[in-house]
Amino acid sequence: MNSVCKMNSGDFINAPVEEQIVSLVSTLLERVVEANARSGPSCRPAANIRQFHATEVSPISIREYVNRIFEYSSCSAPCLVLAMIYIERLMQKESSLILNGLNVHRIVVVSSLLANQYLDDRHHENGYWAQIAGISRQELNGLERLFLALLDW
């Protein structure tokens, strides 16, 4: 599955649909984060969403992170599409939320976790998801509760 991280346009057309979706989701997230970075520094995030912000930018690229989630979580390709819908809804409800290098990884993992729980028959405990995300289970649980609350779930 690591081939998704290095997919070029010729490979994309011949790749299985799952790999295409992983690539598309990764590309979309990368472009949003890059566009937000080019538009200049954003103001300090509102207190209600600050929990999503890491203290430093993750050394793992967005593409590698989405690939990691797909590979280890048993999250299906449709699950990743639903995760993107959840992110879009969150951004619509929270106008102060701007995807950037400090928050994108946490937002992606929580939206994927929620989509996986909702859509897929197979899903893992939050402790396993926390290992995939590289954060503690307590932090992931808090982020999940916050994400759901912000969506008025």
Side-chain angles (χ1 to χ4, degrees):
M1 189 58 64
N2 286 336
S3 62
V4 175
C5 291
K6 300 175 181 125
M7 189 178 293
N8 64 41
S9 60
D11 295 336
F12 181 81
I13 293 169
N14 298 318
V17 172
E18 293 82 8
E19 289 185 14
Q20 290 179 9
I21 290 174
V22 171
S23 182
L24 286 170
V25 166
S26 301
T27 301
L28 177 61
L29 289 166
E30 288 168 342
R31 288 184 180 175
V32 168
V33 168
E34 288 168 6
N36 289 340
R38 278 194 307 272
S39 67
S42 59
C43 59
R44 185 173 167 90
N48 62 331
I49 61 170
R50 206 169 295 143
Q51 192 174 346
F52 288 110
H53 281 68
T55 55
E56 57 188 39
V57 174
S58 174
I60 301 173
S61 73
I62 295 168
R63 183 167 302 274
E64 290 169 333
Y65 199 70
V66 171
N67 188 58
R68 177 183 173 98
I69 290 170
F70 184 74
E71 188 172 347
Y72 293 108
S73 71
S74 70
C75 187
S76 65
C79 167
L80 290 177
V81 173
L82 181 57
M84 292 300 295
I85 293 168
Y86 287 162
I87 292 171
E88 178 65 26
R89 287 182 182 171
L90 182 65
M91 292 172 61
Q92 287 174 355
K93 290 193 76 71
E94 290 297 322
S95 59
S96 65
L97 176 63
I98 297 172
L99 283 182
N100 60 44
L102 295 175
N103 65 18
V104 67
H105 292 79
R106 284 180 166 83
I107 290 171
V108 166
V109 77
V110 173
S111 65
S112 299
L113 164 74
L114 294 171
N116 181 242
Q117 290 174 344
Y118 178 76
L119 195 60
D120 293 337
D121 291 333
R122 283 186 40 201
H123 54 84
H124 299 283
E125 302 275 331
N126 281 15
Y128 183 77
W129 275 89
Q131 289 178 339
I132 294 170
I135 58 177
S136 73
R137 181 176 28 160
Q138 292 78 14
E139 182 176 4
L140 182 62
N141 289 343
L143 293 172
E144 180 184 16
R145 283 190 300 273
L146 175 59
F147 200 105
L148 290 170
L150 292 171
L151 289 179
D152 296 325
W153 198 288

